[in-house]
């Protein structure tokens, strides 16, 4: 394996110059930098980012912790993060927690050991103890898909309460009163909890009594969705509409309803949440609450990179707008 000495010899410079090109490239004349970089390529020199970190105290990497890459909305945000990071010559290391607080804690530990310069976390740790430790250590991090709007942690998210309200209001406005909700488990996501509160508040405002038997907590993937919607549709008075706490769940609900002989939207109106690009390519096209996943990723990366350069005076809390996108999976209630 080539060493820094080999590079120096090929480029005809000192090892100190090679080291400067690696650690402080802006301090080296462009011609010299190019010569050294060419030499690195010739002898396939691989510098060690961790070793570089000992000198600069930076590795130009950020750790990203998402619940899962199976949900396209998280892929969109990851794209936003990588685009911003790439512009500043940062690399992103991704880990999935699978909505497991212990896995999230382990990932944070491992990424810190790898000396990432900061973390972007979509947290499953509802108690917040892991995050408080990061704060205590003064470690730069930003919460993404967060419901946090004040306090010491920087956070990017949307108003999930409002989104839940908008989805339900759309259904109530179409004349539905038997409106069910398929919610992601409240133990692993406060987003779903806030969406549920928005749903309940809207029912109240529209004079529709809240029926707890119309709430089913599912995962956030397709897992148990079909069984949940089919159980709801087996009731004596089945719902005529359902608000799903994300688009994936909504797709599962549409399929589950169809299997049971219910037509969407004629017999069951379905609303999702996220507005993932795929939601307009399914049949019927999904009505959903759009959240700007790509921009949220970009914003989180901007905030984090600024934090890695300089400790901010105060944390940033950025709430982006949600938007109801009405498509074909919802329709006015048809009286029997
Ligand atoms: O983690 C599940 C959901 O929470 C995602 O689909 C997205 O809506 C996020 O906010």
């Amino acid at each position: 394996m080539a060493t820094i000495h080999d590079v120096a010899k090929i480029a005809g410079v000192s090892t100190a110059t090679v080291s400067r090109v690696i650690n402080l490239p802006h301090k080296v004349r462009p011609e010299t930098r190019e010569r050294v970089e060419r030499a690195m390529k010739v002898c396939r020199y691989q510098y060690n980012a961790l070793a570089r970190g000992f000198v600069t105290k930076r590795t130009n990497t950020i750790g990203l912790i998402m619940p899962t890459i199976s949900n396209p909305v998280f892929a969109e945000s990851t794209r936003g993060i990588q685009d911003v990071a790439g512009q500043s010559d940062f690399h992103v290391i991704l880990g999935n927690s699978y909505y497991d607080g212990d896995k999230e804690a382990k990932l944070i530990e491992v990424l810190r050991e790898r000396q990432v310069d900061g973390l972007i976390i979509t947290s499953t740790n509802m108690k917040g103890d892991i995050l408080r430790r990061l704060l205590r250590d003064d470690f730069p991090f930003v919460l993404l898909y967060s419901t946090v709007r004040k306090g010491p942690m920087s956070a990017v998210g949307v108003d999930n309460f409002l989104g839940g309200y908008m989805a339900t209001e759309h259904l109530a406005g179409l004349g539905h009163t038997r409106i069910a909700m398929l919610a992601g488990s409240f133990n692993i996501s406060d987003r779903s909890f806030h969406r549920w509160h928005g749903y309940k508040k809207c029912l109240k405002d529209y004079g529709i009594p809240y029926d707890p038997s119309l709430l089913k907590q599912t995962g956030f993937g397709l897992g148990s969705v079909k069984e949940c919607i089919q159980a709801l549709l087996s009731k004596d008075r089945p719902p005529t509409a359902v608000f799903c706490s994300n688009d994936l769940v909504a797709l599962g609900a549409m399929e589950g309803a169809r299997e049971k002989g219910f037509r969407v939207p004629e017999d069951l109106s379905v609303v999702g949440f996220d507005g993932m690009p795929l939601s307009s390519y399914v049949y019927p096209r999904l009505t959903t609450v759009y959240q700007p996943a790509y921009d949220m990723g970009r914003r989180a990366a901007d905030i984090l990179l600024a934090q890695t350069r300089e400790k901010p005076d105060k944390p940033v809390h950025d709430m982006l707008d949600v938007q109801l996108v009405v498509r074909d999976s919802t329709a006015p209630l048809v009286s029997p």
Side-chain angles (χ1 to χ4, degrees), residues 67-68 71 73-74 99 122 145 158 160 189 191-192 195 220 245-248 273-274 291 296:
T68 169
N71 186 338
V73 77
F74 294 131
Y99 293 101
T122 295
Y145 288 95
V158 295
N160 289 280
S189 161
R191 303 182 287 286
S192 181
R195 289 170 201 174
F220 280 112
S245 75
N246 74 15
D247 285 356
L248 278 185
F273 198 110
D274 281 349
Q291 58 176 338
M296 286 160 69

Side-chain angles (χ1 to χ4, degrees), residues 142-186:
V142 177
L143 299 176
L144 180 56
Y145 288 95
S146 174
T147 58
V148 168
R149 283 151 170 260
K150 54 182 185 205
M153 302 180 198
S154 289
V156 175
V158 295
D159 188 336
N160 289 280
F161 175 91
L162 177 65
Y165 193 102
M166 287 161 102
T168 315
E169 186 169 43
H170 170 62
L171 294 169
L174 291 170
H176 295 278
T177 53
R178 296 285 291 160
I179 304 173
M181 178 168 180
L182 291 181
S185 166
F186 299 153

Side-chain angles (χ1 to χ4, degrees), residues 4 7 11 13-38 40 47 52:
I4 196 166
V7 178
V13 297
S14 68
T15 51
T17 304
V18 178
S19 169
R20 257 202 309 282
V21 169
I22 295 168
N23 298 310
L24 305 162
H26 54 284
K27 296 217 164 152
V28 184
R29 281 192 304 143
E31 311 84 71
T32 313
R33 203 167 62 211
E34 269 166 35
R35 219 166 58 231
V36 171
E37 282 169 353
R38 252 198 320 274
M40 282 175 176
Y47 75 82
R52 163 169 137 162

Side-chain angles (χ1 to χ4, degrees), residues 211-240:
D211 177 352
S213 77
L214 291 183
L215 169 73
K216 288 246 178 265
Q217 287 195 53
T218 64
F220 280 112
L222 292 169
S224 58
V225 176
K226 274 199 206 172
E227 294 88 84
C228 287
I229 190 71
Q230 290 178 354
L232 286 167
L233 296 175
S234 302
K235 287 167 102 43
D236 289 343
R237 283 183 62 223
T240 59

Side-chain angles (χ1 to χ4, degrees), residues 112-131:
R112 288 189 67 181
E113 273 166 20
R114 299 260 185 275
Q115 297 188 11
V116 294
D117 296 326
L119 287 164
I120 296 177
I121 308 169
T122 295
S123 186
T124 291
N125 179 250
M126 294 299 111
K127 289 197 298 268
D129 47 345
I130 316 170
L131 304 176

